[in-house]
Amino acid sequence: MVAALSDKEIEQMRVHFRAWLRWLMEMQPEEFPTQAALAKAIGATGSSVTYWLRGERSPSLETALAVARLTDFTVDYMFKKLPPGSAASKR
């Protein structure tokens, strides 16, 4: 049986996912100039991206996989590590 994630673990995953979304927009501004453009690329709505960036909701597995495809990193890596060179990873 797999143990449930703690609230702290879930929050950490949200922080990392939020950092990866911001990283995508910063590293590829021509492709993702807006939250709406990023949302379209991952098959989500603009309001969903807003919720994720605020840390108010967690992405579905399908959304996490779509973001992972854009980053060339695995979902597991994204939820455990911050993006390369991100401000949060330098703390």
Side-chain angles (χ1 to χ4, degrees), residues 52-72:
W52 298 323
L53 288 171
R54 290 182 188 160
E56 295 175 5
R57 293 193 182 157
S58 298
S60 67
L61 178 58
E62 291 81 8
T63 299
L65 287 168
V67 172
R69 280 188 219 107
L70 294 176
T71 66
D72 291 328

Side-chain angles (χ1 to χ4, degrees), residues 19-70:
W20 282 99
L21 292 177
R22 289 188 177 122
W23 183 80
L24 274 171
M25 293 179 70
E26 290 170 8
M27 298 304 290
Q28 300 179 25
E30 301 83 22
E31 194 167 348
F32 310 116
T34 64
Q35 289 180 19
L38 179 58
K40 184 175 180 182
I42 60 175
T45 65
S47 60
S48 290
V49 171
T50 299
Y51 286 126
W52 298 323
L53 288 171
R54 290 182 188 160
E56 295 175 5
R57 293 193 182 157
S58 298
S60 67
L61 178 58
E62 291 81 8
T63 299
L65 287 168
V67 172
R69 280 188 219 107
L70 294 176

Side-chain angles (χ1 to χ4, degrees), residues 4-14:
L5 296 172
S6 69
D7 289 344
K8 183 179 179 181
E9 290 170 314
I10 292 170
E11 181 56 29
Q12 181 182 25
M13 292 171 78
R14 285 182 178 164

